[in-house]
Amino acid sequence: MKFPLGSSSLNWMYGRGRQSAAIRNLETHNPTSTSHPESDSDLLHTADSYSSIMAIPSLSFSRPTFAKLSPHPYLLTNLSPQSPSTKPSRTNGRAPHEARPVQIHTSSLSHAHGSALVRSGNTTVVCGVRAEILPVTNIPQYRPRSSLQPSTTASDEAADRAELKAYDLLVPNIELATGCAPQFLPGVPPSTLAQTLSTRVYSLLHSCGVVDPKSLRIWHDPSAEAKKTTGEGDASMQDDNDDDESEAEPPQLMAYWVLYIDLLFVSFDGNPFDAAWTAVMAALRDTKLPEARWDPDREMAICSRTRKNPLDVSRGGLPVACTAAVFQEKEYAEAGGLAGENRHWVLLDPDRLEESLCRETVTMVVDCGGVGGETRIRSIEKQGGTVIGRELMRGFAGVAEKRWREVRDAMQ
Amino acid sequence: MASTQHALLSPAELAYLHASLSLTPPIRPDGRAANQFRPLAAETGILPGTNGSARICFADGTEAIVGVKAEVERTRRGDGGREDGVEYVSSRLEGDFVEGVSSGEGAIAAVDEADRVGESEWVELSVEIPGARDDDAGTVFLAAMLAEALLAGGEFAKKLWINRRFHWKLYLDILLISPPLSYPLPLLSLTTHLALLATRLPRLKSEGDEDPFFDDDWAAAPYLYARKDGKATARPPVSLLVMAVGNNIIFDPSKEELAVADVALAVSVGEETATTTAAEADEAQQQQQPLGRNLRLLSVRTIDPPSRLTPPGVPNATNSAYGAATTQKQPEARAAESEAVEGVWKAPRGGAKALVMAALVQKALMRGGVADEVLDALDAVDLVA
Amino acid sequence: MAATSSSATIAIPGQLLGPASKFQPGPGTHIHESNLYSSLLGLVHVNQPTKAPGPVKRLNKITPAPPPAELPTISVSRSAVSDKRETLPEVGNTVLCRVIRITPRQAVVAILICGETVLDAEWQGLIRVQDVRATEKDRVKIYESFRPGDIVRAEVVSFLSPTLPFTRRFYADAAY
Amino acid sequence: MTDRRRVNGPVGSTNPPVFEDEPEQEFGAQKGIRTRTPTATRKMYLKTGVTPSASGSAYLEIEASRKGAVSGLKLSCTVHGPRSLPRSTPFSPHIILSTHVKYAPFATKQRRGYIRDPTERDLGSHLETALRGAIIADRWPKSGVDIIISIVEGDHDRETSKSQGGEAWDMMNALSGCITVASAALADAGIDCVDTVAGGVAALVRDEGDDTTPRIVIDPIPSEHEQILAACCVAYLPDRDEITNLWFKGDLPASDMELYSQLVEKGIQASRNSNEVIVNSLLISTREQQPHERHDGTTRMHIAFNLQR
């Protein structure tokens, strides 16, 4: 199909193909009225002198061609349609605040303790959670914790988090170099993007306290060992319900579970963080750790094949990441000159093309599952640009809530 | 890739070479017979610091040395390992956690099933080709090929068993010390073969599962491959390079010859060992042929023939002032050429018929065939360890 | 098996299309043992022969030496079955490309669109100074003609000589 | 080996969980006896176009034979190109093929590292040989194509396979899967091929039980058999009746080549089966193909990943 704007030919008439001209032409939908810098004039004259060789063809481009040649004006013209009747839509047909539907499928991998496949549009990511045992003897400067009381007070929670972080019990890694997109070919060290993503997931995991360290501890409880009732078997995992035994011989903490959280992008079409985070959450909720007891003679933790306990991720609630990119009418090159009427659009859940054209992005992690369903903002990240201010941010929270519900429903 | 370095021949030369090799009998550039190996000079025991070593120099100037070093290593084995599937076969990435868990059902079970068990982990084989990185696909391919032949049937690894708690760890360092003038597989394989034949391990003095200690008298050290009156009862495998051109089967091709191969195979051959493993028990009855060697087929790998990457010739029909242009992506032009024009070289497409491949293997394994000759030739080399 | 595939119109790589004696191989096909096989996944087209291409045309626009009798050309095209298809720029194609960098001798361009096809991979091209325009070639200054970032329309004049990557002739007025 | 560019986790070494064996109740059932007929391959699911941003892509899943005990094979393959070669590379009259096979960290029993190990590189070169025979290289001079396969889930037993070097046999299954999925992805990418190459595995096995005469089965699962004596993996072009890559490994008496050729024959049969899967999947995807609507991979992936459940 032809691109609606017949005038797109202008880019090549006067603009010397630079998007500056493209934009001008697209604003004033009139070939001749386009003003162009002096620098162009001599070239025009050159052009005239050769019109003899070949008549100037009227170029008009098909959609994909236009998109390839000058993506920015292409997206711009989509967002600012001529007729006020047609609603502004993005090149992918979505409305600015419309996110891609999310699909989540869990426990499809049999070698992982928990796994999830998350698909949002054409971005597909697989997450596998794998638990391994870290004997406390392997931890340099390990500080044994005596208290068995289920940590309730804030200070305890803080201690718990410190524990998670100090011993590095959560190991998220994101692999992008799987050919999931042309720019991510394997055989190279992790790209900056991949490293950033891993780190963001890492810090968010800790700051949100998603994983309850209690469920990662492996205890040795001599008294429980003494009378071998399967009931006490649980004692080795959950310390809360064996306080009564604890007087006799205090159980000791012998080892930790370490969760290796590996993410593999199968297909990449923008907004990797939201997808990755959703996958991590889904996989963690899917994770079941085998019940482990400490075998003092062998000095190692022995797990049961049959009895598995789901990982406790209740404390962290359900934080959901929601990312948007800000698309500005003028690119940087122009911004200086025509600062005045620089329109912008906030594009939720940007795809590859949009990400390549936007400099300003914001990610808000919200959790609406709290008491009374009121929204809690767990984290806000914003990079680049100057558009998003307090007002926008406030509005964006609303968008994030909507997104949260979508993801929550997908999780069910 | 490295397994198929380019031979710099013009399409005309390729066409000529291919034609002469497809004649019956084939005419090889160096005048060899179809199944004749390049003459070679071999010696063993060149590296006194090793348990066994060898050096082979082909007439064409390619040369390789192999050194074998053995170290005593504590056997990693854990009952946990077994059920969980943390077995040693693939335990590169696994920590040494099972260490110290050497007691328990698993270990006992392991000993029950066979008093000596070997792990492929106990052999570490590294190949070095000048000018190729050691993680280069071609080098890895070579190493994997030599290793899989050596470990086939699990017989070799068992030789390294000392007792339940200890084993020999064998390091094979295979170096090509000349530039790779031809595909080095045969050379490397033969050299490795000799080095292993010459390899001796100190005699074990300790008994049972106690920490092993050894007889320091080197003269008393037994050969890794036991020998009776100067002849090895069992022998390491050899890998032969075989290729087919037209209807001819050609052994040990030079680089140029390989460049026009229709198909090339690496065939690894072992010799029937005196001790029959469980693996061979059932085939034992077939093994009783008296004369010649009882060869065994250990592995076959397809070598990507470089011929696929050779520049095509341009028939006069389509040749023109724009000669360069005719080779451009233009389906008609290509397809029209693909009707083979006499005397115009065209890189082969597709693969090879199953029958042809079978014939190659057959030829290599034939009783009294090439494999036999090679083994005999290697027998002639007297061993200095 | 592919050869006995149910669909008549859809071809699968390796599918038998007909004897080479009855058809002329078009794009997306190859000859094996004097039979025509498909080499692409796509739809089969059979074009009845038009007029035999003149020898001059054959020289710069490469069609094969036509068989004695004009045969219908059979070809397999992906256009119908896939929206993304990569094509190699051929001599005579009109391409749109973006100037990457310029030197006094030539301008290096990345080819974005070839004919009607939007290319995934950006193939590199060269505009030699003598190819910028038809007349006064000696007066041409590359830096007066192009700037990095310009989009230019060009025609492929040569391809594939190992020394020169591509060469293009430019109709200057088409470019601006 | 600490990689500063990744999150490395605790300094102290961690161990995979070690299970106390609870033999009978669930294991007895799992001790594999092959239920399929010797000539039956496992169910396969193949879908092209799962990675729209790539030139071509395909996803292959081979069903798990026994729930829980053995995981199925899950492969995702993307093809990038034909693309122009970097300026540094010398002129080539052919398309330059580069293959890359990588296990996902969670694909196998041991957690895999992110750096390719020799096994993966070896798989890569096998795959390259298999594909180079299939593609028509001279259609794309001066171009390169990258074929990247992520093994999302390896074909691995939960318990150790009893035969020595069970992993080595698993490699063959993985390879044949790689060949099949790559072949589909190449077709999807529109790279000229002489045929749709497909992989197949056959093995000479001895079963536990009284009759211990070796028999040949296709698409073997190591743990289902007492012992694997030999196995071969072929990459086969059905319409040309040609083999582009043959990998045999094991221990056979040279005296009867019969056994060997039978093995290869079965391997070909196996690859014929997987070829049918390729052809069907290609036909389906082509039929339902409307331009600008190639992204219906969604629902398929969904189904695919649900096969497990």
Side-chain angles (χ1 to χ4, degrees), chain A residues 348-369:
Chain A
L348 186 61
D349 188 16
D351 64 17
R352 242 165 94 231
L353 172 71
E354 289 161 348
E355 273 185 343
S356 67
L357 297 174
C358 301
R359 281 180 189 75
E360 186 168 4
T361 63
V362 58
T363 301
M364 187 181 283
V365 181
V366 298
D367 185 355
C368 313

Side-chain angles (χ1 to χ4, degrees), chain A residues 269-290:
Chain A
D269 188 15
N271 197 4
F273 183 73
D274 290 9
W277 179 252
T278 314
V280 170
M281 286 309 295
L284 283 177
R285 294 164 139 247
D286 176 53
T287 303
K288 293 178 192 52
L289 296 181

Side-chain angles (χ1 to χ4, degrees), chain A residues 175 177-179 185-187 264, chain B residues 135 137 140, chain D residues 73-78 97-105 107-108 112-131 146-155 170-182 245 247:
Chain A
E175 182 60 290
T178 57
L185 293 185
L264 196 78
Chain B
D135 65 350
V140 172
Chain D
L73 191 63
K74 293 198 183 76
L75 303 174
S76 146
C77 174
T78 59
L97 199 63
S98 77
T99 55
H100 188 110
V101 179
K102 183 82 190 78
Y103 280 90
T108 50
R112 292 259 177 175
Y114 279 96
I115 315 292
R116 275 198 301 168
D117 65 7
T119 315
E120 289 159 334
R121 295 179 184 280
D122 193 19
L123 277 176
S125 42
H126 276 294
L127 180 62
E128 181 172 353
T129 310
L131 295 182
D146 299 274
I147 295 154
I148 300 139
I149 296 185
S150 314
I151 304 185
V152 178
E153 180 154 275
D155 193 355
D170 289 330
M171 236 179 104
M172 283 205 170
N173 284 342
L175 175 61
S176 87
C178 289
I179 294 168
T180 308
V181 72
N245 185 33
W247 181 23

Side-chain angles (χ1 to χ4, degrees), chain B residues 158-241:
Chain B
K158 286 184 185 159
K159 296 179 187 295
L160 303 177
W161 190 86
I162 296 175
N163 60 35
R164 258 183 224 170
R165 292 171 46 227
F166 292 90
H167 63 263
W168 288 107
K169 171 100 179 184
L170 213 61
Y171 296 89
L172 280 85
D173 291 297
I174 305 173
L175 283 77
L176 186 68
I177 56 180
S178 70
L181 302 172
S182 60
Y183 190 52
L185 171 70
L187 175 60
L188 297 185
S189 160
L190 296 189
T191 320
T192 314
H193 178 96
L194 274 186
L196 283 170
L197 272 185
T199 301
R200 310 161 74 170
L201 299 174
R203 193 164 57 81
L204 182 65
K205 282 171 116 173
S206 59
E207 287 133 3
D209 287 349
E210 69 201 10
D211 292 12
F213 59 94
F214 298 92
D215 185 348
D216 57 3
D217 170 15
W218 185 244
Y223 280 95
L224 179 61
Y225 281 89
R227 307 177 68 80
K228 262 201 242 71
D229 46 56
K231 279 190 99 288
T233 52
R235 331 177 100 270
V238 289
S239 305
L240 309 172
L241 188 58

Side-chain angles (χ1 to χ4, degrees), chain B residues 268-279:
Chain B
S268 300
V269 185
E271 188 174 11
E272 174 61 22
T273 53
T275 64
T276 55
T277 66

Side-chain angles (χ1 to χ4, degrees), chain A residues 100-301:
Chain A
R100 295 170 286 189
V102 185
Q103 295 169 332
I104 303 174
H105 313 294
T106 51
S107 54
S108 47
L109 300 178
S110 55
H111 289 306
H113 293 92
S115 64
L117 168 89
V118 168
R119 216 168 203 295
S120 118
N122 289 330
T123 296
T124 309
V125 59
V126 185
C127 176
V129 176
R130 184 158 212 153
E132 296 200 347
I133 293 172
L134 173 69
V136 292
T137 52
N138 288 7
I139 306 179
Q141 350 57 43
Y142 163 71
R143 281 174 276 83
R145 40 175 300 132
S146 52
S147 91
L148 261 183
Q149 307 322 318
S151 47
T152 47
T153 65
S155 66
D156 282 351
E157 283 208 24
D160 286 346
R161 293 190 186 177
E163 183 182 16
L164 272 183
K165 206 161 184 123
Y167 304 148
D168 256 336
L169 300 183
L170 305 176
V171 191
N173 271 300
I174 293 182
E175 182 60 290
L176 271 176
T178 57
C180 56
Q183 68 265 40
F184 301 126
L185 293 185
V188 296
S191 59
T192 326
L193 177 58
Q195 297 178 48
T196 322
L197 290 174
S198 305
T199 328
R200 283 172 71 189
V201 170
Y202 179 84
S203 48
L204 196 53
L205 272 173
H206 284 297
S207 64
C208 292
V210 172
V211 178
D212 184 347
K214 282 208 292 305
S215 52
L216 296 184
R217 301 184 189 130
I218 298 174
W219 295 88
H220 173 44
D221 186 346
S223 50
E225 283 301 318
K227 36 179 154 54
K228 289 239 187 304
T229 67
T230 50
E232 301 312 325
D234 308 341
S236 56
M237 284 294 297
Q238 287 130 359
D239 40 318
D240 341 31
N241 54 5
D242 65 357
D243 304 350
D244 40 356
E245 276 84 359
S246 55
E247 292 100 33
E249 264 179 277
Q252 287 170 295
L253 181 53
M254 298 311 287
Y256 284 103
W257 285 107
V258 174
L259 299 183
Y260 290 94
I261 305 168
D262 293 294
L263 291 124
L264 196 78
F265 272 83
V266 176
S267 171
F268 181 92
D269 188 15
N271 197 4
F273 183 73
D274 290 9
W277 179 252
T278 314
V280 170
M281 286 309 295
L284 283 177
R285 294 164 139 247
D286 176 53
T287 303
K288 293 178 192 52
L289 296 181
E291 187 175 298
R293 67 174 167 78
W294 184 260
D295 182 332
D297 345 326
R298 293 202 220 152
E299 292 174 329
M300 66 193 296

Side-chain angles (χ1 to χ4, degrees), chain D residues 112-305:
Chain D
R112 292 259 177 175
Y114 279 96
I115 315 292
R116 275 198 301 168
D117 65 7
T119 315
E120 289 159 334
R121 295 179 184 280
D122 193 19
L123 277 176
S125 42
H126 276 294
L127 180 62
E128 181 172 353
T129 310
L131 295 182
R132 188 169 288 144
I135 65 176
I136 305 181
D138 45 22
R139 288 285 163 87
W140 296 92
K142 299 183 58 164
S143 344
V145 60
D146 299 274
I147 295 154
I148 300 139
I149 296 185
S150 314
I151 304 185
V152 178
E153 180 154 275
D155 193 355
H156 260 289
D157 302 11
R158 274 283 172 68
E159 320 115 68
T160 58
S161 52
K162 282 157 276 156
S163 61
Q164 274 295 337
E167 157 125 327
W169 306 121
D170 289 330
M171 236 179 104
M172 283 205 170
N173 284 342
L175 175 61
S176 87
C178 289
I179 294 168
T180 308
V181 72
S183 163
L186 277 174
D188 184 44
I191 292 173
D192 303 66
C193 293
V194 291
D195 198 348
T196 50
V197 64
V201 182
L204 178 70
V205 299
R206 189 196 293 102
D207 292 325
E208 49 201 356
D210 10 347
D211 101 80
T212 58
T213 54
R215 56 172 187 152
I216 298 182
V217 300
I218 71 178
D219 189 17
I221 299 175
S223 68
E224 285 183 347
H225 306 288
E226 179 62 31
Q227 186 173 29
I228 294 191
L229 305 176
C232 82
C233 171
V234 296
Y236 179 69
L237 306 168
D239 293 333
R240 293 169 72 106
D241 177 33
E242 288 178 346
I243 296 178
T244 62
N245 185 33
L246 170 70
W247 181 23
F248 165 91
K249 159 180 195 354
D251 194 358
L252 282 186
S255 42
D256 62 351
M257 287 297 294
E258 215 14 66
L259 206 52
Y260 165 77
S261 23
Q262 279 174 13
L263 200 57
V264 175
E265 201 38 56
K266 294 289 187 191
I268 291 178
Q269 187 181 345
S271 79
R272 281 187 180 279
N273 296 357
S274 35
N275 187 273
E276 276 171 22
V277 178
I278 297 181
V279 170
N280 294 333
S281 126
L282 288 183
L283 286 176
I284 292 170
S285 65
T286 312
R287 291 219 184 79
E288 75 195 13
Q289 195 66 266
Q290 284 93 20
H292 307 297
E293 287 212 13
R294 313 191 57 238
H295 314 332
D296 50 3
T298 322
T299 53
R300 301 302 161 141
M301 285 291 280
H302 166 23
I303 299 167
F305 271 87

